[in-house]
Amino acid sequence: MSDRQNYIEQLRRDFLTTSASGLGMAALSAMLASDGGLSRAHGEEPTNPLSTKTSHFAPTAKNCIFLLQAGAPSQLDLFEPKPKLNALHGKPLPAEMLDKVRFAFIKKDSAVLMGSPRKWSKHGECGMDFSDFLPHLATCADDMLMIRSMHSEQFNHHPGQLLLSCGRATFGLPTMGSWLTYGLGSESQNLPGYVVLTSGRGSSGGTSLWSSGFLPSHYAGVLFRNEGEPVLNLTNPDGMPNELQRRGLDTLKSLNQTHYNRMHDPEIASRIASYELAFRMQSAAPELIDLKSETAGTLDRYGVERAQHPQATGRGNVANAHLSFARNCLLARRMVERGVRFVTIVYEAWDQHSDLEQDLRYNSWVVDQPIAALLKDLKQRGMLDSTLVVWGAEFGRTPLGENRNGREANTGRDHHPFAFSLWMAGGGVRGGQVYGQTDDIGWGITADPVHMNDFHATLLHLFGLDHLQLTHRHQGRDFRLTDVGGKVMHSWLI
Amino acid sequence: MNVQTPWNENQAVRCILWVVLAVAISRAGHSQELPPAVDREVDFVRDVQPILRARCWSCHGAEKQESGLRLDRSEAAFIGGDSGKAILRNESAKSLLIQYVSGLDADHIMPPEGQRLSSEQIGLLRTWIDRGAQWPASGTTEKNSHWAYQPLKHVSPPKPKQHAWVVNPIDNFVLEKLESQGISPSAQADRYTLIRRLSLDLTGLLPTVEQVDAFVNDAQPNAYEAVVDRLLDSPHFGERWGRHWLDMARYADSDGYEKDNPRPDAYRYRDWVIDAINTDMPFDQFTIEQLAGDLLPEATDMQRLATAFHRQTLTNTEGGTDQEQFRVEACFDRTETTGAVWLGLTVGCARCHTHKYDAITQREYYQLFAFFNNGDEQTHVVPKSVEEIESYRVAKAKFDDELAQAKTALTSPDFIEAEMEWENASLEKLNALERIESQRRLLDNPVFHSEDSQLTFKALEDNSFLVSGDKPLTTDYTISGQLKDAQVRVLRLDLLTDSSLPKKGPGRAENGNFVISEVVVESSTSADFSNAQTWEFTAAKADYEQNRFPATKTIDGKVTDGGWAIANETGKPHWLELQLKDPLEFQQPTFVRVRLHQQHGTQHTIGRCKITFQSEMSPEASLPEKIVKLLKAPREQRSESQQQELVEHFAHVYPATQDAAKAIEELKKKEPSKPEVAARVLVQRTKDPRKTLVLRRGEFLEPMPDAEVQPSGFSTLPQLQTRSSVGDRLDLARWLVSKENPLTPRVTVNHVWRLLFGTGIVKTANDFGVRGELPTHPELLDWLAAEFIGFNDGRSSTVTAWSRKSLIKNIVMSATYRQSSAHRNDLMEVDPQNRLLARQNRMRVEGEIVRDISLDVAGLLSRKVGGPSVYPLLPPGIAELSYAGNFKWNLSEGADRYRRGMYTFFKRTAPHPNLITFDCPDANLTCVDRSKSNTPLQALVALNNESFAEAARALAVRALNCDPKLEESERLALAFRWCVARPPTEYEISELENLLKESRQWYESHNEDAKKLMAATKVDGYSPEVVAAWIATARILINLDEFITRE
């Protein structure tokens, strides 16, 4: 027997003899489970918060990659051609429509409609519409479910991003990835179950977009970084080589074990296991972000080393976002391969109140190729069936041009929570379909409205979770991702 | 897991249909078809309630509230549901309830299933409504029997058998329960553990080895109590317990939403909390000042400052927000935080509906909300701290003395006389100026003209003209009109500002400048200027001249050779006066044409100008505007400081006092500034007070017009007394801490208990409602609560009413608290969660404390209490996570780098990751119970984070430097004791020695590594490999589970 096996055996004996309650047993049992020693304990409190758990029913999705397009891209210039809107360009919106709505910046009395100068064409066997800004993504049409009838009630960024991430525009709630890891645990023994990647500038929501809210911090998203070490504090201090790190941890383990023998508190065993997992993460995370094992073809398809766009401009153009976004898409695939349950990629680039044309051209270019490459890569590896990819934002943009501050020409669009687009692919979603309808100018929904909470209910359903049953008691109330709404959209499923 | 479906899509659709239907019915006037009202006495309990119970309550009762309607309680029933009021008193035909049960629309009949209501039943309901819908109290609700709402009772401590174990009455309660289960309590923890436990619990810091040894060797019977008293008196006690309170206050240093702007004043409230707790401000006062300090009679600065408790709410400055939305949101937060912190109730659920589990109705929620609805957000200037104000006073007195000394030069009779003369002379000049101003003449019927046809001239009310339209590079303006009965010696141009001009003008160049290259004036008796006379100017004067652009350029006869301009002084009005060689007199109407040449180029043209004529040049007053104003005021009306200002102004121009005046000016620059800060506080709105309406589904845009509520308490609790007809926050605060209110003391002692045992007597510290857990020791909870508020007067001598320190002392003195925290095999089955308290609980210390104690053992920690928040080491890339990277982390230097964690600047959208990793709350909502996780990320922080690496280095240095006589193993043992208080076992010391030895061997053969690990560390007399090995070993010490755990 190796030392490690000896040690595990010893811990197992202690575990079995002294802590039948399993109170707070944390990572220990995960470690044991990985050695085939113990399956998840059943009972009121699972021993390891991140050990894998059984879903309510058979899932189709195992992992999720959430492409959070913060700032809200214009559905009217990317996914939804509106010839009537173009025909009405420069005309005001009927007064009865304006009466009911609030805007962030538009001046109601002088607002006029703004057509889209984009060229549109149909793609795939399903004939899905895409504008000329998304040529790569258009080739994935048959794998995509395009929802045109999303609606929300928040028209400011931060509350809108909270609603999208947490099911309700309130602070202190868990985000989607937290709910999924809470409900299903993590399949990775060496990496966090919920990882966050960012490109470009900081988003309105900041860290509240990957918070675990009232759930324990085990379920919070772990930010992988764009510079330096991939995970905060992953690297030993300078001059502390791995051999010595291991040597120190052995002493630490031994002293903690001695203390455990005195106190018999399972939390100590838990701490020992946490340090061991941290040690494993120290080698697993750098391996994850090291792209050496990827072929030149793969790197090329994602655009990991592509040249900058000749007209790089706009909000997204920060710190080589075109490279980091491409790299993040590829990293997302590598994470899913290694069992990470939920990957969020935040790209805050889409708040085009002005200069929509140039800004949107550039930012669409940034995301188009890498996302298409990700979908195809997943598919080619047979992973798309079980990996749900979601593109979504806090809201869409108005068919009215924005005329804030008496701007002479409308060059942008305002926030529009009443009708916007979101798409999904893989993970048991039936691709090649367009769901929902909006009116001729894209103002309101005319068929099949989908609330954010319906999207959440369906997302959980794909993972085999009943959104009404996945709850957590907090301050006397059973909270859920879908707040007090949500219905599963069965027609979206395979 | 429980399922809760108060609202779903079907209900939403149905709700919309309700609305549609209601409108349709009322418009169609179907009321004639309703069954008639019955003509007899109708009694609610006998006749109406049975119908509601049988046919309505299954969907609109305690369990479910379809469409938000609840018909089993009067408050809720009269509010109505999402469609509006169901019952309109005296108007049964218009009441939705009657219309629905009458089934006028075949698609929407209530009840939706089963038999229809009979005509007789509908008639009963109608008569009941038409006669005022009396809903007698006995029919409203059963008296709520939930334990937490019951009044506090006098409880006598029970008498367990093993009374020898008992130290104080707390133990009686605990021991009796243990005995009833056949369990014996644990032995008292050893003294090392006890002093470390007390130090961490009461101050969040470690005891020194000297303190530990003194206690361990103290044979006095009161040794333990002496330690308790010392710690309660420590200034760090306020930090420790203040931090617990700040969790509940959702304290942070930034706004929260999106831009998340910093709140540099926020710390002042934090310091108030620390101070209030250190001085053991009674909890009732502590409550009243924070909720309503502004409403106290003759409120002090500090009492106003205390209301910052409810200014910790988030602020959204995102563009395009509706401020009313976020004002209402902040009031929701205040309502719900108040409910959670003092009442242990989750009132938030009632924001949208009356819910099945809560004893609190939606109406009651808004009654509580109403207290905050008229709290306006303001700032109030308060001293930065008592100490700083004190030292300011000293410095100010010294300064005042010095100033008075310097001013003696200005008291000589000569000077006083000269000053008087100057005042009089100046006044004369000013009067002349005024006279000239009053006699200024305008052109009659002025006409504006320019060769550039795209220019527009607009005459303004003050008779100036404003130019807009095209912006030519150069231009000339011609202003023509008439003068009659005028004596003219001087032409005056006033160049004026306007918001439409670049930089407000007066010019139209990018920077607001202009250049007048030449002024040419002609006069003629005929309109065609056939006999025109050109005016000859001999002098030019302006209030300001740009370098190389003097006023005289405007009369030098050359249009192209420069001109007058005012760069550096744009954005302000200016004037130019041109004097004629000889005065002109116009008795007959004379045509006058003024040509303003502006040939400089680059759009340096005039934006706004006024032309007047006067009989002489304005006298040279050249006094600052402020001095002019002072001079014009009669002497006897000037205040002393105003007179002083005049005197000092004159002292500058009077030769004999010029030096003294300069000295005074220099001295004044050194005047100490008052150490004050503008704190965010709440202030009661008295002008246009807001009405509070119930908001449908909590939506701020949907107030329910018929549902106005007044500030009031909850029906399940004792009546809230108000001082006037409408209650305010002060009434609320006094109600919360009134002797009749059982919840506040129960909830508060439970919070304290939780912090000293890891779990409360009520485990759900944030939920004392019907869904919360029952207390494990209800009598103990009530006894403690009664002690806390002084309700047990005379029965116990240990307590001061509402004293936090007394309460804490009472608990930590108990034998229950002093038990060992070791887990016991015999308890595994019977009490796995230790709810019966047969031992203490082990607790990992909080995130701030993890770092505090690491810095402490390293000898780095600054023990300064209070002051502005600080910026310790932060990994790169964190501040950038905030919106648009708008946040800069200005790394603190010196001792501020090592302040306690509670002083770290807390940016809500990008908080310090070390804090968050160790479960510090995010400060967005009140947090009454921190979670404590145990994750690999925590291991990475304590092993690798630079703050901790720094602590490991400093700990190694401290160990190596401490006492030259120590052997290596003694040295190790001492460092071990710094960390965990107790001496190590032989095994532990040998493990550490082995690590030290092997580390040294490694570094002997890897010298480069040793240097890297040491960074800038140097210890005299030790080789790098020894120092590095010690650092590697110290690093393990501060990662021990025992180190970061309060045993």
Side-chain angles (χ1 to χ4, degrees), chain A residues 76-218:
Chain A
L76 298 168
D77 298 280
L78 297 177
F79 303 124
E80 264 207 285
K82 291 288 176 194
K84 186 75 183 287
L85 177 63
N86 287 0
L88 292 172
H89 179 82
K91 303 238 163 46
L93 194 68
E96 66 267 24
M97 269 183 159
L98 275 170
D99 276 352
K100 296 180 203 139
V101 299
R102 294 184 290 158
F103 297 109
F105 295 108
I106 287 181
K107 300 261 176 285
K108 280 189 183 186
D109 43 4
S110 55
V112 292
L113 293 164
M114 182 169 113
S116 170
R118 302 272 50 79
K119 293 193 177 56
W120 297 88
S121 47
K122 294 191 177 295
H123 295 266
E125 284 178 26
C126 61
M128 194 178 284
D129 296 291
F130 287 91
S131 87
D132 53 351
F133 276 174
L134 295 170
H136 291 88
L137 193 60
T139 63
C140 304
D142 289 334
D143 289 314
M144 291 165 61
L145 159 70
M146 178 66 65
I147 305 152
R148 288 180 171 170
S149 49
M150 294 300 300
H151 63 98
S152 151
E153 53 269 7
Q154 295 298 329
F155 63 87
N156 295 118
H157 293 293
H158 199 160
Q161 288 169 11
L162 287 173
L163 176 60
L164 170 65
S165 306
C166 314
R168 188 174 160 181
T170 316
F171 285 97
L173 301 178
T175 48
M176 285 187 275
S178 306
W179 279 111
L180 277 180
T181 43
Y182 168 69
L184 298 172
S186 168
E187 297 198 330
S188 173
Q189 295 304 304
N190 307 323
L191 291 169
Y194 175 12
V195 173
V196 182
L197 302 159
T198 66
S199 295
R201 60 194 226 151
S203 62
S204 302
T207 55
S208 64
L209 302 183
W210 54 89
S211 157
S212 61
F214 51 71
L215 291 175
S217 57
H218 298 104

Side-chain angles (χ1 to χ4, degrees), chain B residues 564-603:
Chain B
W564 173 57
I566 51 110
N568 301 329
E569 288 287 314
T570 58
K572 303 173 192 167
H574 294 281
W575 56 260
L576 170 74
E577 287 184 358
L578 307 177
Q579 184 172 248
L580 284 160
K581 190 171 172 221
D582 303 305
L584 297 171
E585 193 160 331
F586 306 112
Q587 272 154 16
Q588 297 306 312
T590 308
F591 297 92
V592 177
R593 187 159 69 186
V594 180
R595 205 182 283 269
L596 304 176
H597 293 279
Q598 303 155 63
Q599 292 299 321
H600 177 76
T602 55
Q603 301 176 333

Side-chain angles (χ1 to χ4, degrees), chain B residues 220-232:
Chain B
Q220 298 295 315
N222 68 343
Y224 180 83
E225 186 171 8
V227 172
V228 171
D229 288 339
R230 170 174 64 78
L231 292 167
L232 286 170

Side-chain angles (χ1 to χ4, degrees), chain B residues 21-34 93-94 99 104:
Chain B
L21 183 64
V23 171
I25 290 171
S26 57
R27 285 195 184 148
H30 279 291
S31 53
Q32 299 90 334
E33 298 170 29
L34 295 171
K94 287 188 187 165
Q99 293 174 353
L104 296 182

